[in-house]
Amino acid sequence: STLEALAHRVWREKGHANVVASLDARMDEVYVGTYRFEQNGASACLVPDFVGAPEAVEPPDADDWVGAGPGWAACNGALVQRLGDRLVEYYATLLPHALDIILVAERVFKEGREKPVDEELPAYLRDKVALTEKERSGN
């Protein structure tokens, strides 16, 4: 998950264990992933990755969370308004890094959770991004 890679970067670079990663999904929506990291870098996705209006994001279970990613600045800061009281701080300019994708994949491999290459597929939170001409015209 791109959101997990972003959360991992916060854990790796900033040392925060509780991370709410968010990317701008456009169309007044955000992508959000809520992750908790252990000292060894193992993570748990506490809520399934989500795409939708910032107002629909469920607040994390405690007040010691860090936000990361451009989703925090999207939608006029609506996610900050929704979850701000649960945050220690947030890094709105931080983006996922390829190193973190590799490190997450390495951990998955070491834990024996990998799949054969031909079974790995992208997971899209939003399958539909473009409207057809008919949908745009409302017919």
Side-chain angles (χ1 to χ4, degrees):
S1 158
T2 303
L3 293 167
E4 184 176 8
L6 174 56
H8 189 275
R9 181 176 183 185
V10 173
W11 172 81
R12 179 177 58 84
E13 291 183 0
K14 310 287 186 189
H16 297 289
N18 298 327
V19 182
V20 180
S22 181
L23 299 169
D24 187 350
R26 309 284 188 232
M27 299 185 284
D28 294 320
E29 294 183 334
V30 290
Y31 297 106
V32 176
T34 307
Y35 296 88
R36 180 168 285 147
F37 290 86
E38 297 176 15
Q39 281 188 325
N40 65 0
S43 67
C45 180
L46 301 182
V47 178
D49 290 350
F50 166 84
V51 63
E55 299 80 19
V57 175
E58 289 298 319
D61 62 354
D63 295 337
D64 59 343
W65 290 84
V66 171
W72 290 93
C75 307
N76 296 317
L79 195 55
V80 175
Q81 293 170 17
R82 172 80 172 134
L83 304 181
D85 62 334
R86 302 287 175 112
L87 297 178
V88 174
E89 61 187 307
Y90 64 95
Y91 308 96
T93 59
L94 208 59
L95 296 170
H97 194 281
L99 173 61
D100 296 287
I101 294 170
I102 292 167
L103 293 172
V104 169
E106 179 182 46
R107 189 188 70 247
V108 167
F109 182 77
K110 285 180 180 176
E111 293 172 357
R113 295 186 294 127
E114 78 281 358
K115 296 179 186 175
V117 167
D118 60 339
E119 291 180 23
E120 289 289 358
L121 297 170
Y124 295 102
L125 295 179
R126 181 188 295 150
D127 287 336
K128 189 174 185 177
V129 265
L131 297 175
T132 66
E133 190 64 40
K134 187 175 182 180
E135 290 170 322
R136 276 192 291 272
S137 69
N139 295 326

